[in-house]
């Protein structure tokens, strides 16, 4: 990729950047929250809009010279409305966490109560972990997945809601492979007079393409990320009804953030335009089909796939039965040596530590972007199983690594 100006000014950073291009080109990105944005999105993100202050919203800014910023943000908003069908969209959150912060700031007072899924069961830090602002400002109670089935325990969730009387119920997860029943969670929230925030950060693209049920129009608030299953560059988004539009806009700016990252909003606009093309639906369908193939491949080789499969882009494997002596962290390290990059993950009923948990999580969004279809995914799944079986066998690591290099070369990204 073109880096002549960086190279002239700062060879050290240029080296790191070209190293990162080579790393993405030459390894299999199976971290479920990652993807590869197009060069069009990268160009927009790398544009002169990084220079522009545009505090406020289109047509009502605190600074002069915002006509092009207005154009870009308006396009991003219109396209987002087309993609998700929300009455109101705010495209300014710097990240998914900032989007969640805006919802909490808009609707809650410090000390109010959040009911959310436990982190070990697939929740997210921004849903109320003690190390995150959400856990520090609010009182948090957590629900779980059924440790047997791996599905959300909706009945236990309803009981928790009755007992805890939350002000907001948070759904939407980081490591949950199954479709979420938004109506059922909305009903729980309604019963206890709580708001419902559906955080679709992982499945933003799947929902846009209609391959996962949408919470838009059901949940009071829907937040998302723009860089996971949709390839619109790093950022967040909040969607809501006209009723809460003003509160959300005020909570994003000036509540939670200063000036919007207009270059990122340009990336969002371009990525949303790409996602409005019919090919994006095919892409999202292939992502899910690939994840199902990966889950089947694992299950056929005796791995314990949490919930028995997947409806999304991700597969969660509990290693405890098949590989009792192998931690997720050791598995991650061995796989990384072959160029298969995924992450260790906690599993329902976790018995190791969050820092070296019992599972691995693998996603198919990035591999599908580079053109992997079911046969290649099956092969990758088989390589993963081989490495899990022999994480210290240099012969296996070398063979799988060579094959990963070939697969990458056959499916170039930015070359
Ligand atoms: C990834 C993720 C987010 C957003 O994370 P950022 O890194 O702040 O963009 C929010 N919620 C969930 C459930 C996620 O998985």
């Amino acid at each position: 990729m073109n880096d002549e100006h960086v190279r002239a000014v700062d060879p050290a950073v240029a080296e790191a950047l070209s190293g990162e291009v080579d790393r993405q080109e030459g390894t299999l990105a199976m971290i479920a929250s990652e993807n590869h944005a197009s060069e069009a999105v990268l160009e927009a993100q790398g544009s002169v809009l990084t220079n522009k202050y545009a505090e406020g919203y289109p047509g009502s800014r605190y600074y002069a010279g915002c006509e092009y910023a207005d154009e870009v943000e308006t396009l991003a908003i219109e396209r987002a409305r087309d993609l998700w069908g929300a009455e109101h969209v705010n495209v300014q959150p710097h990240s998914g966490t900032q989007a969640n912060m805006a919802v909490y700031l808009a609707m809650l007072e410090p000390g109010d109560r959040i009911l959310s899924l436990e982190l070990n069961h697939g929740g997210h830090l921004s849903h109320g972990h003690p190390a995150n602002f959400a856990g520090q400002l609010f009182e948090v109670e957590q629900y779980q997945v059924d440790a047997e089935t791996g599905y959300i325990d909706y009945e236990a969730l309803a009981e928790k809601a009755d007992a805890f009387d939350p002000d907001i119920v948070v759904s939407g997860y980081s490591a949950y492979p199954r479709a979420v029943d938004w109506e059922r969670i909305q009903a729980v929230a309604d019963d206890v007079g709580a708001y419902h925030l559906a955080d679709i950060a992982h499945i933003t693209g799947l929902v846009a393409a209609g391959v996962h049920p949408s919470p838009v129009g059901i949940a009071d608030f829907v937040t998302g990320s723009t860089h996971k299953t949709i390839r619109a560059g790093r950022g967040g988004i909040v969607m809501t009804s006209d009723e809460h539009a003003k509160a959300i806009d005020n909570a994003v700016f000036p509540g939670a953030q200063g000036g919007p990252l207009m270059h990122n909003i340009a990336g969002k606009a371009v990525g949303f335009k790409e996602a409005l093309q019919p090919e994006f639906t095919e892409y999202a369908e292939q992502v899910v089909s690939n994840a199902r193939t990966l889950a089947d491949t694992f299950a056929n080789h005796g791995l314990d796939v949490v919930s028995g499969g997947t409806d999304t882009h991700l597969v969660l494997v509990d290693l405890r039965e098949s590989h009792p002596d192998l931690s997720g962290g050791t598995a991650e390290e061995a796989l990384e040596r072959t160029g298969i990059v995924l992450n260790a993950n906690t599993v329902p009923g976790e018995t190791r530590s969050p820092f070296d948990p019992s599972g691995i999580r693998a996603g198919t969004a990035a591999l599908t972007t580079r053109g992997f279809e079911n046969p290649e995914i099956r092969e990758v799944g088989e390589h993963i199983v081989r490495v899990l079986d022999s994480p210290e066998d240099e012969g296996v690591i070398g063979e799988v690594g060579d094959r990963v290099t070939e697969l990458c070369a056959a499916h170039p990204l930015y070359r």
Side-chain angles (χ1 to χ4, degrees):
M1 305 189 91
N2 187 8
D3 66 353
E4 59 179 309
H5 298 97
V6 182
R7 201 157 282 281
V9 173
D10 189 339
V13 166
E15 270 312 290
L17 293 180
S18 81
E20 177 62 13
V21 174
D22 292 345
R23 190 193 68 78
Q24 291 189 22
E25 207 70 60
T27 58
L28 300 180
M30 298 188 78
I31 292 175
S33 45
E34 292 184 1
N35 211 326
H36 304 287
S38 71
E39 282 167 285
V41 169
L42 297 181
E43 252 175 48
Q45 281 198 312
S47 67
V48 291
L49 274 173
T50 196
N51 299 332
K52 188 68 197 108
Y53 249 110
E55 286 180 352
Y57 290 100
S60 132
R61 306 281 190 184
Y62 288 77
Y63 291 93
C66 287
E67 62 267 38
Y68 298 108
D70 280 6
E71 230 172 89
V72 162
E73 187 167 348
T74 302
L75 283 169
I77 290 168
E78 285 170 2
R79 289 169 184 165
R81 278 220 207 91
D82 283 351
L83 281 170
W84 291 284
E87 283 178 9
H88 183 75
V89 180
N90 187 307
V91 296
Q92 291 192 3
H94 302 337
S95 73
T97 295
Q98 297 296 113
N100 289 340
M101 180 185 249
V103 173
Y104 302 145
L105 281 179
M107 308 318 291
L108 305 180
E109 301 289 334
D112 277 358
R113 287 181 223 166
I114 298 176
L115 177 60
S116 60
L117 185 70
E118 196 177 307
L119 189 64
N120 276 353
H121 285 232
H124 190 255
L125 290 165
S126 64
H127 295 179
H129 191 274
N132 182 271
F133 77 92
Q136 291 160 10
L137 287 180
F138 306 107
E139 209 187 312
V140 180
E141 175 67 83
Q142 304 218 281
Y143 58 95
Q144 300 190 320
V145 300
D146 181 319
E148 280 303 303
T149 65
Y151 281 74
I152 299 291
D153 189 340
Y154 292 97
E155 274 171 34
L157 163 58
E159 283 163 24
K160 279 247 159 97
D162 267 339
F164 182 60
D165 192 20
D167 297 287
I168 195 164
V169 177
V170 182
S171 64
Y173 315 106
S174 295
Y176 185 65
R178 291 302 183 173
V180 182
D181 189 342
W182 309 115
E183 274 106 351
R184 201 155 170 194
I185 298 180
Q186 185 64 43
V188 169
D190 287 342
D191 274 350
V192 298
Y195 292 112
H196 176 197
L197 162 60
D199 174 357
I200 59 169
H202 259 267
I203 53 173
T204 314
L206 305 184
V207 169
V211 305
H212 185 292
S214 175
V216 173
I218 298 169
D220 302 289
F221 305 94
V222 177
T223 53
S225 70
T226 53
H227 49 275
K228 295 183 182 176
T229 49
I230 192 165
R231 299 166 294 201
R234 194 157 288 271
I237 183 170
V238 187
M239 296 178 263
T240 188
S241 56
D242 289 333
E243 181 190 355
H244 300 301
K246 193 100 203 79
I248 288 296
D249 285 353
N250 288 338
V252 173
F253 172 81
Q257 299 183 169
L261 309 179
M262 286 312 309
H263 54 303
N264 274 31
I265 292 174
K268 290 174 190 178
V270 173
F272 293 168
K273 172 151 194 200
E274 290 174 345
L276 282 164
Q277 310 311 309
E279 299 81 57
F280 186 75
T281 307
E282 285 166 33
Y283 163 75
E285 284 166 354
Q286 189 65 50
V287 166
V288 176
S289 170
N290 281 347
R292 291 210 162 110
T293 295
L294 188 64
D296 288 347
T297 307
F298 288 159
N300 290 341
H301 285 85
L303 297 189
D304 178 6
V305 174
V306 172
S307 84
T310 182
D311 303 320
T312 66
H313 61 302
L314 73 83
V315 179
L316 188 60
V317 175
D318 185 338
L319 294 167
R320 288 175 298 188
E321 263 179 41
S322 59
H323 299 80
D325 300 325
L326 180 65
S327 72
T330 306
E332 175 188 304
E333 281 168 30
L335 285 163
E336 187 175 9
R337 294 181 58 215
T338 72
I340 298 175
V341 184
L342 48 65
N343 65 287
N345 213 95
T346 54
V347 293
E350 182 57 62
T351 43
R352 288 181 187 263
S353 93
F355 303 102
D356 191 13
S358 305
I360 53 171
R361 185 187 69 161
T364 55
L367 295 193
T368 308
T369 292
R370 65 193 298 173
F372 280 49
E373 296 188 350
N374 305 73
E376 291 99 332
I377 292 288
R378 191 169 306 113
E379 183 188 338
V380 170
E382 279 161 4
H383 292 319
I384 291 174
V385 173
R386 274 185 82 195
V387 174
L388 296 178
D389 288 345
S390 313
E392 285 163 14
D393 185 326
E394 292 304 318
V396 168
I397 301 284
E399 273 174 41
V400 171
D402 289 345
R403 190 56 196 137
V404 166
T405 303
E406 285 169 11
L407 282 166
C408 289
H411 297 277
L413 272 168
Y414 298 114
R415 296 212 164 103

